[in-house]
Amino acid sequence: MNDLTIALRRDTGKHLYEQIYLHMKQEIREGKLLQGERLPSVRFLAEFLQVSRSTVELAYGQLVSEGYIEARPYRGHFVCQAEELFDLGKEENIQEAWRGKEAQGKREFAYDFSPNTIDMSAFPYATWKKITKNILVDANSDIFIPGSPKGDYSLRETIAHYLHNSRGVNCLPEQIIIGAGNDYLLMLLEKILGRHVKIAMENPTYRRAYRIFDSFAYRISPIAMDGSGMSAEGLYESGADVAYVMPSHQYPTGIVMPIGRRLELLKWAGEKQGRYLIEDDYDSEFRFKGKPVPSLQSSDRAGKVIYMGTFSKSIAPAIRMGYMVLPLPLLQVYEENCSFYSNTVSRIDQRILNEFIGKGHFERHLNRMRKIYREKHDLLLNGLKGMEKRFMISGENAGLHILLQDKTGTEERELTKAAADAGVRVYGLSEFCVGEIAPLWKADTVILGYASLGKEQIAEGLRRLWDAWGSLPHRRQ
Amino acid sequence: MNDLTIALRRDTGKHLYEQIYLHMKQEIREGKLLQGERLPSVRFLAEFLQVSRSTVELAYGQLVSEGYIEARPYRGHFVCQAEELFDLGKEENIQEAWRGKEAQGKREFAYDFSPNTIDMSAFPYATWKKITKNILVDANSDIFIPGSPKGDYSLRETIAHYLHNSRGVNCLPEQIIIGAGNDYLLMLLEKILGRHVKIAMENPTYRRAYRIFDSFAYRISPIAMDGSGMSAEGLYESGADVAYVMPSHQYPTGIVMPIGRRLELLKWAGEKQGRYLIEDDYDSEFRFKGKPVPSLQSSDRAGKVIYMGTFSKSIAPAIRMGYMVLPLPLLQVYEENCSFYSNTVSRIDQRILNEFIGKGHFERHLNRMRKIYREKHDLLLNGLKGMEKRFMISGENAGLHILLQDKTGTEERELTKAAADAGVRVYGLSEFCVGEIAPLWKADTVILGYASLGKEQIAEGLRRLWDAWGSLPHRRQ
């Protein structure tokens, strides 16, 4: 041992044993203490450093338990064999390049007609807080211990009841799996359906779902939409096992799949074992004309529909809660192969939501939001009246966005660019297309969402669009 | 149209239009109204049923939007084509078999020495509640809008700071991904590492992780533990790309991997692109002798360690929060291919936890729990003193369980059975083994966890074990 001098400091907060330990560790890592080298005895080092023996024992004990040195009975402590340390500092330099990377922003628009936002201004924060408080007060510790992998049974009962009443969904609480958002639930579904799935998707469709299926290495068949939704012929031709559809309000086209097409799809699924329909019922709560359209699941008698819903649109995206209703054959697979995955939602949050729905707050909130969205929706449609010559409006009976198809042949990118130059963001339909654009959905359509915009923003945004688009040449009369 | 009689009731809560709509839908579904059939005109039906025209218009409108009928201009309403409905009732019968299935319980033990529980009795509920309340009071709606896919930056900063101080982990907040539990984080890691991974695991190991990797169709190489952990030779021979290890306190053996072995593993990982070490640091907070052992990640200079931690053991399993620290090469992959997956943790919960850690409550809680667990731990070890002749005790310096190896050759299943007959549950080591049992870990070892047991339960449980095992024959002296 070359150098026993350890500059012990009694004025810092650090224990003496820790200083000895850190010093020796450093010496070993830097190769100053060599493999096999014998350390001074506890008694010797204690006297040399003027500390108690137990201080040295603690330091040696820590080095032993971390494997830097070993104790050989009656012989003392020896430095262990250790591979060379890797080149220091390399990782740190690369790290520097990443630092603060997330602070870089994106271009902001004063008027962003995003179809993928919601209005949180009328959220019943006070009610939510009160429920949270009551639950924490009442709670014995059982909401802090792990719950069922599918989610709390009582919440699943509440959701089953809600889905039955509002969407005609026919299911037991046993069939429901609660999860931290639909991205996660799709990951879980991958485990249930297996890795080798050919999936049919409507085109245009919800890009996020597309990216997720793509990340699964599912083979994806985009199927052109006709006016009734996914074409049944297209589905048969695709050779797909599973079809992902949004029958009650297709995103982004807003098409409601009529019962005839629904039954065709159910028939397709029923013809072969292993065929399923994923029904994404993402925004069924918001329909402004007539009764809500029942779910596809409600027409399923053969256990072929996987029903997915979310509270992201109806409550808040940040609460991260969605659910999936498995048909019985897949419930069996889940129970056998996948039920060991822990649930992903906090039990406190599950309890809050259960209370929020069970006590009627959810329904009241939905009614309030329907009214708010309907007002914005009507304002938007009224504001578009002057544009009717140029645009065909569609998807206006439900949901939080509408579509404008340019009848004069102006291309989508001209429309979005002119809008952007006026500080307004609108979304081209091609952003939602996968593969080739379906013939019915030419690149002449833009989407306007309105959920998170205020009434004055909608009015001013439309004024700007009107100015910007009014000066674009008509390509076709 | 065969029968126009609709028994309208004005005394129920149902709107008249809804009754008309439901009746006609039923007729169509039952085939009483046939495809192509013309419905009576709005005016005719309104007069016939003695309701207003707008009532009939609403009913027809709903049937049109659901696709049961269609409106042909100037001609009226016609029943659409629809595939036959599937046989009713089939699904319902199978459903019956599932009803209430989850109510069926398992055998309960009065004294369950589970190694996989925690003590929630000392959880600072009051503090948690207060923080929750303050956050909800302060909160503008921004905690209800979607956050970063990796989790809130401020919480990641707090975790980075905590990990640096307590575990020597060297990382930027940019490298941290927060997720709803480690099961989920492993699912996300699968997307980052890819589908074709050969993974090496310690044997015995954490079965849950094994099942998860198995569900990924990873090829798994169980590698026998020696006294220092995963054998480096075994790892080289396995041909694995990734190794999953618990270096600071292996589960279930309690072995602490010495620095020499750690460096060997790091060297292995550094020799080939695409090789990584997953460090599961699940319970590093609870160590009863000396300082905490630093993480493997803290010795990594080549960006080879994926560090995983959880708040399930240190706070509560039900809050569903864990985190993963990606080395920079994998961070790059994540950003390019996987950053579209939404975060799975509620932003409210992230804010609560950030405050809980940042304000020092977490540290105080850990100190309190260390004291409580140490007392239970000491009680358990004292109670086992009389059994030392029969059993070799190990894994006792850290964590929330210990191992008893029977020196007399009694088999594990005799030990667990005798315990069960006395109302005590202990866990055989073979439950944690995958594939063949490693030679060092013969089927003569049981595991006793103590975290959730009260002191009297520990004492009485040990008394019963003592009685039950005392009467078992010694197979070997």
Side-chain angles (χ1 to χ4, degrees), chain A residues 244-306:
Chain A
Y244 174 87
V245 291
M246 294 168 274
S248 297
H249 186 236
Q250 206 269 348
Y251 189 84
T253 65
I255 286 177
V256 178
M257 193 186 289
I259 184 71
R261 181 62 56 83
R262 289 175 186 227
L263 294 177
E264 283 181 278
L265 295 193
L266 286 168
K267 181 162 177 270
W268 167 84
E271 282 168 0
K272 213 163 166 181
Q273 221 186 351
R275 280 189 181 164
Y276 291 100
L277 297 161
I278 302 174
E279 172 178 25
D280 184 351
D281 204 27
Y282 67 103
D283 79 342
S284 54
E285 291 85 1
F286 303 114
R287 186 165 171 81
F288 306 119
K289 219 174 132 185
K291 275 167 57 75
V293 179
S295 65
L296 176 62
Q297 203 267 9
S298 70
S299 300
D300 176 23
R301 295 290 174 274
K304 286 297 184 177
V305 174
I306 301 151

Side-chain angles (χ1 to χ4, degrees), chain A residues 309-365:
Chain A
T310 175
F311 295 104
S312 291
K313 289 267 174 194
S314 56
I315 296 185
I319 70 162
R320 309 308 309 141
M321 242 188 285
Y323 47 86
M324 165 162 86
V325 180
L326 292 179
L328 297 176
L330 291 181
L331 179 59
Q332 190 86 41
V333 177
Y334 167 84
E335 296 287 354
E336 281 166 17
N337 302 331
C338 304
S339 58
F340 60 89
Y341 288 111
S342 315
N343 193 274
T344 44
V345 181
S346 144
R347 292 191 73 195
I348 303 174
D349 293 350
Q350 294 188 51
R351 192 79 69 96
I352 295 170
L353 186 64
N354 191 24
E355 190 98 358
F356 190 74
I357 302 174
K359 292 273 167 71
H361 301 295
F362 185 49
E363 205 182 327
R364 277 191 288 281
H365 175 57

Side-chain angles (χ1 to χ4, degrees), chain B residues 305-439:
Chain B
V305 174
I306 301 150
Y307 177 89
M308 305 192 77
T310 174
F311 296 104
S312 291
K313 290 266 173 193
S314 54
I315 296 184
I319 69 162
R320 309 308 309 140
M321 243 188 284
Y323 46 85
M324 165 162 86
V325 181
L326 293 178
L328 297 176
L330 291 181
L331 178 59
Q332 189 87 41
V333 177
Y334 166 84
E335 296 287 356
E336 281 166 16
N337 302 329
C338 304
S339 58
F340 61 88
Y341 288 111
S342 315
N343 194 274
T344 45
V345 181
S346 140
R347 294 191 72 193
I348 303 173
D349 293 351
Q350 294 189 53
R351 192 80 69 97
I352 294 169
L353 185 65
N354 191 25
E355 189 97 357
F356 190 74
I357 303 174
K359 291 274 166 70
H361 301 293
F362 185 49
E363 204 180 329
R364 278 192 287 281
H365 174 58
L366 284 180
N367 288 336
R368 210 163 31 231
M369 291 316 299
R370 258 183 227 115
K371 187 168 170 293
I372 291 172
Y373 286 142
R374 181 195 296 272
E375 282 170 12
K376 292 186 185 184
H377 170 263
D378 292 351
L379 188 74
L380 183 70
L381 287 184
N382 280 331
L384 288 170
K385 281 235 163 91
M387 301 195 199
E388 273 174 349
K389 273 193 185 155
R390 181 167 197 137
F391 294 107
M392 198 173 78
I393 298 169
S394 64
E396 75 281 17
N397 289 339
L400 305 176
H401 68 271
I402 55 136
L403 284 80
L404 299 182
Q405 184 171 17
D406 191 302
K407 293 189 275 195
T408 72
T410 312
E411 285 191 13
E412 170 197 303
R413 58 193 163 81
E414 295 177 81
L415 296 170
T416 54
K417 189 183 175 304
D421 291 342
V424 183
R425 183 155 187 204
V426 297
Y427 294 75
L429 185 64
S430 64
E431 289 183 36
F432 302 83
C433 290
V434 288
E436 243 176 279
I437 293 180

Side-chain angles (χ1 to χ4, degrees), chain B residues 146-343:
Chain B
S148 157
K150 293 182 190 170
D152 282 0
Y153 195 82
S154 55
L155 176 57
R156 288 186 279 137
E157 278 182 314
T158 303
I159 291 175
H161 187 75
Y162 164 72
L163 289 179
H164 183 75
N165 289 345
S166 71
R167 312 290 305 120
V169 169
N170 166 35
C171 72
L172 298 171
E174 278 77 4
Q175 292 171 263
I176 296 181
I177 298 174
I178 294 162
N182 281 3
D183 295 8
Y184 166 73
L185 287 168
L186 288 177
M187 284 167 112
L188 185 61
L189 191 56
E190 182 200 11
K191 305 300 175 205
I192 300 170
L193 290 172
R195 273 178 300 280
H196 305 291
V197 168
K198 183 159 192 186
I199 192 161
M201 297 187 82
E202 295 156 328
N203 195 14
T205 190
Y206 181 42
R207 288 284 305 193
R208 174 178 287 279
Y210 176 82
R211 292 182 72 178
I212 288 170
F213 292 134
D214 192 43
S215 78
F216 295 169
Y218 277 14
R219 282 170 303 152
I220 303 176
S221 297
I223 296 188
M225 301 269 294
D226 61 23
S228 300
M230 178 181 278
S231 128
E233 294 81 48
L235 180 56
Y236 275 102
E237 280 164 20
S238 72
D241 316 299
V242 176
Y244 174 88
V245 291
M246 294 167 274
S248 297
H249 185 237
Q250 206 270 346
Y251 190 82
T253 66
I255 286 176
V256 178
M257 193 185 289
I259 185 71
R261 180 64 53 87
R262 290 174 184 226
L263 295 177
E264 283 182 277
L265 295 193
L266 287 169
K267 182 164 176 269
W268 167 85
E271 282 168 1
K272 212 164 166 181
Q273 221 187 349
R275 279 188 182 165
Y276 291 100
L277 296 161
I278 302 174
E279 173 177 25
D280 185 353
D281 203 26
Y282 68 103
D283 79 344
S284 54
E285 292 85 1
F286 303 114
R287 185 162 172 82
F288 307 118
K289 224 175 126 181
K291 273 168 58 75
V293 179
S295 64
L296 175 62
Q297 202 267 9
S298 69
S299 300
D300 176 24
R301 294 289 174 277
K304 286 297 184 177
V305 174
I306 301 150
Y307 177 89
M308 305 192 77
T310 174
F311 296 104
S312 291
K313 290 266 173 193
S314 54
I315 296 184
I319 69 162
R320 309 308 309 140
M321 243 188 284
Y323 46 85
M324 165 162 86
V325 181
L326 293 178
L328 297 176
L330 291 181
L331 178 59
Q332 189 87 41
V333 177
Y334 166 84
E335 296 287 356
E336 281 166 16
N337 302 329
C338 304
S339 58
F340 61 88
Y341 288 111
S342 315
N343 194 274

Side-chain angles (χ1 to χ4, degrees), chain A residues 21-33:
Chain A
Y21 149 78
L22 286 172
H23 176 86
M24 294 208 145
K25 187 163 97 167
Q26 191 68 15
E27 299 269 295
I28 294 169
R29 294 177 76 120
E30 291 174 0
K32 292 179 186 161
L33 285 170

Side-chain angles (χ1 to χ4, degrees), chain A residues 125-382:
Chain A
Y125 294 102
T127 307
W128 193 269
K129 280 172 207 174
K130 207 172 147 199
I131 294 174
T132 306
K133 202 180 136 203
N134 290 343
I135 279 167
L136 287 168
V137 169
D138 283 350
N140 30 37
S141 59
D142 81 334
I143 56 171
F144 283 96
I145 61 173
S148 156
K150 293 183 192 168
D152 283 359
Y153 194 81
S154 55
L155 176 57
R156 287 186 280 137
E157 280 182 313
T158 303
I159 291 176
H161 186 74
Y162 165 71
L163 289 179
H164 184 75
N165 288 346
S166 72
R167 311 290 305 120
V169 169
N170 166 36
C171 73
L172 298 171
E174 278 77 4
Q175 292 171 262
I176 296 180
I177 299 173
I178 294 162
N182 281 3
D183 294 8
Y184 167 72
L185 287 169
L186 288 177
M187 284 168 112
L188 185 61
L189 191 57
E190 182 200 11
K191 305 301 175 202
I192 299 170
L193 290 173
R195 270 178 301 280
H196 304 292
V197 169
K198 183 158 190 186
I199 192 160
M201 296 188 82
E202 295 156 328
N203 196 13
T205 190
Y206 182 43
R207 290 282 305 192
R208 175 178 287 278
Y210 176 82
R211 291 182 73 178
I212 289 170
F213 292 133
D214 192 44
S215 79
F216 295 170
Y218 277 13
R219 282 170 304 151
I220 304 175
S221 297
I223 297 188
M225 301 268 294
D226 61 23
S228 300
M230 179 181 278
S231 127
E233 294 81 50
L235 180 55
Y236 275 101
E237 279 165 20
S238 71
D241 316 300
V242 176
Y244 174 87
V245 291
M246 294 168 274
S248 297
H249 186 236
Q250 206 269 348
Y251 189 84
T253 65
I255 286 177
V256 178
M257 193 186 289
I259 184 71
R261 181 62 56 83
R262 289 175 186 227
L263 294 177
E264 283 181 278
L265 295 193
L266 286 168
K267 181 162 177 270
W268 167 84
E271 282 168 0
K272 213 163 166 181
Q273 221 186 351
R275 280 189 181 164
Y276 291 100
L277 297 161
I278 302 174
E279 172 178 25
D280 184 351
D281 204 27
Y282 67 103
D283 79 342
S284 54
E285 291 85 1
F286 303 114
R287 186 165 171 81
F288 306 119
K289 219 174 132 185
K291 275 167 57 75
V293 179
S295 65
L296 176 62
Q297 203 267 9
S298 70
S299 300
D300 176 23
R301 295 290 174 274
K304 286 297 184 177
V305 174
I306 301 151
Y307 177 90
M308 305 193 76
T310 175
F311 295 104
S312 291
K313 289 267 174 194
S314 56
I315 296 185
I319 70 162
R320 309 308 309 141
M321 242 188 285
Y323 47 86
M324 165 162 86
V325 180
L326 292 179
L328 297 176
L330 291 181
L331 179 59
Q332 190 86 41
V333 177
Y334 167 84
E335 296 287 354
E336 281 166 17
N337 302 331
C338 304
S339 58
F340 60 89
Y341 288 111
S342 315
N343 193 274
T344 44
V345 181
S346 144
R347 292 191 73 195
I348 303 174
D349 293 350
Q350 294 188 51
R351 192 79 69 96
I352 295 170
L353 186 64
N354 191 24
E355 190 98 358
F356 190 74
I357 302 174
K359 292 273 167 71
H361 301 295
F362 185 49
E363 205 182 327
R364 277 191 288 281
H365 175 57
L366 283 181
N367 288 336
R368 210 162 32 232
M369 292 316 299
R370 259 184 227 115
K371 185 167 171 293
I372 292 171
Y373 287 141
R374 179 195 295 274
E375 283 168 13
K376 292 186 184 181
H377 171 263
D378 291 351
L379 188 73
L380 183 70
L381 287 184
N382 280 330

